[in-house]
Amino acid sequence: MKTRILVKEGEYQLSKAFCMDPKIDAEELYCYLTGIDKVGLFLRAQEEVDPETEKKYMELIRRRAERIPLQHITGVQEFMGYTFKVSPDVLIPRQDTETLVTEAARTIQNTPREKLTFFEKLRGQKEWDVLDLCCGSGAIGISMAKICNNIKVTGTDISEAAIAIAEENAANLRAKVKFLKGDMFAPVNDRKFDMIVSNPPYIKTNMISILQEEVKKHEPLKALDGGRDGLDFYRTIVSEADKHLKPGGFLMLEIGHDQGEDLRKMLKDSQKFTPAEVIRDLPGKDRVVKCQLR
């Protein structure tokens, strides 16, 4: 069977299984199996595929048709231009979350010089101490460490398996990030940071059942379930973040597209933070809430 026909058959099988992007997934799986890129796939379209490769490819298609996420088959996900290892123990990094990383990095890079200490002015930049709360695969904190050369990042997560994957990602990407296991702020005790970033669980409990099969059956529930109204983790963060932020420190949180006003009100009612700014992602949906400790 020719490459083009085989990949087309893979696409057909994934379409029958109601996978969201059957053509893309069929191509990605062939590239993953053979080690070629999309250009190579195009150039080899008319080449005959050996029976062993054909058999292995259709096995990958079968697994994807069972709605196992593509990233769990290939073991990786691209995020902010970097390749991260993923597994069923961590939430697969989404493009939506790149909004949080981009805004956090922009905030760090655009800090006015008049806010720097004497020694920071001598160095020409502020040294930032950043906490990545509920770090999962480490994608947020590691990406920030790669983008900004003037930060020290600490990541925390309650899952030992997630911490192991985050540490492996940091090693693979040569990023100096320290990861600590524990619930929310517990691992950092009384430490104070210049910035706290987080993509906490924020899906309403009763909405879990209507998520895509790939998500609700194969990604960790504890990384998704935000409680009855989806705001449980935000309540903890808003309640405790002031104890772990330096004066004027930034709090930046990813949110669901319909949670901006709820979180803005929660922050206002706490009377601990400046009025919150809600930042939209590329499709124009509310995605990040940003404020500072008063």
Side-chain angles (χ1 to χ4, degrees), residues 124-141:
Q125 58 186 357
K126 177 180 175 63
E127 291 290 327
W128 289 73
D129 203 356
V130 177
L131 174 62
D132 178 8
L133 196 66
C134 306
C135 66
S137 67
I140 295 173

mmCIF file of all heavy atoms in Angstrom, residues 124-141:
data_model
loop_
_atom_site.group_PDB
_atom_site.id
_atom_site.type_symbol
_atom_site.label_atom_id
_atom_site.label_comp_id
_atom_site.label_asym_id
_atom_site.label_seq_id
_atom_site.Cartn_x
_atom_site.Cartn_y
_atom_site.Cartn_z
ATOM 1 N N GLY A 124 21.184 45.709 35.673
ATOM 2 C CA GLY A 124 20.405 46.097 34.512
ATOM 3 C C GLY A 124 19.058 45.421 34.403
ATOM 4 O O GLY A 124 18.339 45.602 33.431
ATOM 5 N N GLN A 125 18.690 44.637 35.394
ATOM 6 C CA GLN A 125 17.396 43.966 35.359
ATOM 7 C C GLN A 125 17.005 43.495 36.751
ATOM 8 O O GLN A 125 17.843 43.331 37.629
ATOM 9 C CB GLN A 125 17.429 42.765 34.405
ATOM 10 C CG GLN A 125 18.478 41.727 34.762
ATOM 11 C CD GLN A 125 18.573 40.637 33.723
ATOM 12 O OE1 GLN A 125 17.822 40.606 32.761
ATOM 13 N NE2 GLN A 125 19.502 39.726 33.913
ATOM 14 N N LYS A 126 15.712 43.306 36.921
ATOM 15 C CA LYS A 126 15.198 42.821 38.198
ATOM 16 C C LYS A 126 15.299 41.298 38.253
ATOM 17 O O LYS A 126 15.090 40.612 37.261
ATOM 18 C CB LYS A 126 13.735 43.236 38.356
ATOM 19 C CG LYS A 126 13.060 42.723 39.628
ATOM 20 C CD LYS A 126 11.623 43.193 39.701
ATOM 21 C CE LYS A 126 10.905 42.580 40.896
ATOM 22 N NZ LYS A 126 11.492 42.986 42.176
ATOM 23 N N GLU A 127 15.662 40.774 39.401
ATOM 24 C CA GLU A 127 15.661 39.330 39.610
ATOM 25 C C GLU A 127 14.291 38.932 40.171
ATOM 26 O O GLU A 127 13.892 39.415 41.231
ATOM 27 C CB GLU A 127 16.768 38.936 40.589
ATOM 28 C CG GLU A 127 18.171 39.105 40.040
ATOM 29 C CD GLU A 127 18.499 38.091 38.964
ATOM 30 O OE1 GLU A 127 18.011 36.955 39.033
ATOM 31 O OE2 GLU A 127 19.248 38.461 38.035
ATOM 32 N N TRP A 128 13.602 38.066 39.476
ATOM 33 C CA TRP A 128 12.252 37.665 39.854
ATOM 34 C C TRP A 128 12.248 36.273 40.471
ATOM 35 O O TRP A 128 12.849 35.338 39.937
ATOM 36 C CB TRP A 128 11.336 37.648 38.624
ATOM 37 C CG TRP A 128 11.003 39.006 38.103
ATOM 38 C CD1 TRP A 128 11.835 39.851 37.420
ATOM 39 C CD2 TRP A 128 9.748 39.679 38.202
ATOM 40 N NE1 TRP A 128 11.176 41.006 37.087
ATOM 41 C CE2 TRP A 128 9.896 40.927 37.543
ATOM 42 C CE3 TRP A 128 8.513 39.346 38.762
ATOM 43 C CZ2 TRP A 128 8.847 41.844 37.451
ATOM 44 C CZ3 TRP A 128 7.464 40.255 38.666
ATOM 45 C CH2 TRP A 128 7.644 41.487 38.025
ATOM 46 N N ASP A 129 11.539 36.149 41.576
ATOM 47 C CA ASP A 129 11.319 34.859 42.223
ATOM 48 C C ASP A 129 9.875 34.464 41.918
ATOM 49 O O ASP A 129 8.935 35.136 42.365
ATOM 50 C CB ASP A 129 11.548 34.981 43.735
ATOM 51 C CG ASP A 129 11.877 33.641 44.379
ATOM 52 O OD1 ASP A 129 11.859 32.622 43.666
ATOM 53 O OD2 ASP A 129 12.144 33.616 45.591
ATOM 54 N N VAL A 130 9.681 33.388 41.134
ATOM 55 C CA VAL A 130 8.366 33.039 40.599
ATOM 56 C C VAL A 130 7.923 31.675 41.123
ATOM 57 O O VAL A 130 8.705 30.720 41.153
ATOM 58 C CB VAL A 130 8.394 33.017 39.057
ATOM 59 C CG1 VAL A 130 7.038 32.586 38.500
ATOM 60 C CG2 VAL A 130 8.783 34.386 38.513
ATOM 61 N N LEU A 131 6.660 31.590 41.515
ATOM 62 C CA LEU A 131 6.051 30.334 41.952
ATOM 63 C C LEU A 131 5.048 29.870 40.908
ATOM 64 O O LEU A 131 4.123 30.599 40.561
ATOM 65 C CB LEU A 131 5.346 30.511 43.298
ATOM 66 C CG LEU A 131 4.537 29.315 43.809
ATOM 67 C CD1 LEU A 131 5.438 28.096 44.048
ATOM 68 C CD2 LEU A 131 3.767 29.674 45.082
ATOM 69 N N ASP A 132 5.245 28.639 40.407
ATOM 70 C CA ASP A 132 4.295 27.997 39.505
ATOM 71 C C ASP A 132 3.483 27.016 40.338
ATOM 72 O O ASP A 132 3.936 25.915 40.653
ATOM 73 C CB ASP A 132 5.060 27.286 38.379
ATOM 74 C CG ASP A 132 4.139 26.539 37.415
ATOM 75 O OD1 ASP A 132 2.905 26.689 37.532
ATOM 76 O OD2 ASP A 132 4.653 25.799 36.552
ATOM 77 N N LEU A 133 2.275 27.424 40.695
ATOM 78 C CA LEU A 133 1.421 26.658 41.603
ATOM 79 C C LEU A 133 0.593 25.645 40.811
ATOM 80 O O LEU A 133 0.036 25.977 39.769
ATOM 81 C CB LEU A 133 0.500 27.631 42.345
ATOM 82 C CG LEU A 133 -0.232 27.158 43.593
ATOM 83 C CD1 LEU A 133 0.747 26.846 44.713
ATOM 84 C CD2 LEU A 133 -1.223 28.231 44.038
ATOM 85 N N CYS A 134 0.501 24.406 41.302
ATOM 86 C CA CYS A 134 -0.175 23.323 40.574
ATOM 87 C C CYS A 134 0.519 23.120 39.223
ATOM 88 O O CYS A 134 -0.115 23.183 38.164
ATOM 89 C CB CYS A 134 -1.653 23.616 40.369
ATOM 90 S SG CYS A 134 -2.569 24.007 41.868
ATOM 91 N N CYS A 135 1.812 22.847 39.257
ATOM 92 C CA CYS A 135 2.661 22.938 38.068
ATOM 93 C C CYS A 135 2.454 21.817 37.057
ATOM 94 O O CYS A 135 2.797 21.973 35.884
ATOM 95 C CB CYS A 135 4.126 23.006 38.466
ATOM 96 S SG CYS A 135 4.755 21.502 39.266
ATOM 97 N N GLY A 136 1.941 20.669 37.461
ATOM 98 C CA GLY A 136 1.721 19.577 36.518
ATOM 99 C C GLY A 136 3.000 19.181 35.797
ATOM 100 O O GLY A 136 4.017 18.871 36.416
ATOM 101 N N SER A 137 2.978 19.221 34.467
ATOM 102 C CA SER A 137 4.133 18.840 33.653
ATOM 103 C C SER A 137 5.283 19.824 33.754
ATOM 104 O O SER A 137 6.376 19.560 33.246
ATOM 105 C CB SER A 137 3.717 18.707 32.182
ATOM 106 O OG SER A 137 3.355 19.979 31.659
ATOM 107 N N GLY A 138 5.026 20.971 34.382
ATOM 108 C CA GLY A 138 6.042 22.013 34.491
ATOM 109 C C GLY A 138 6.092 22.949 33.305
ATOM 110 O O GLY A 138 6.972 23.810 33.217
ATOM 111 N N ALA A 139 5.140 22.820 32.391
ATOM 112 C CA ALA A 139 5.185 23.578 31.139
ATOM 113 C C ALA A 139 5.226 25.091 31.352
ATOM 114 O O ALA A 139 5.964 25.803 30.663
ATOM 115 C CB ALA A 139 3.987 23.209 30.262
ATOM 116 N N ILE A 140 4.444 25.595 32.311
ATOM 117 C CA ILE A 140 4.400 27.044 32.538
ATOM 118 C C ILE A 140 5.723 27.543 33.089
ATOM 119 O O ILE A 140 6.364 28.437 32.513
ATOM 120 C CB ILE A 140 3.248 27.412 33.492
ATOM 121 C CG1 ILE A 140 1.897 27.090 32.847
ATOM 122 C CG2 ILE A 140 3.314 28.884 33.879
ATOM 123 C CD1 ILE A 140 0.713 27.257 33.785
ATOM 124 N N GLY A 141 6.152 26.984 34.213
ATOM 125 C CA GLY A 141 7.360 27.457 34.855
ATOM 126 C C GLY A 141 8.605 27.259 34.014
ATOM 127 O O GLY A 141 9.477 28.141 33.941
#
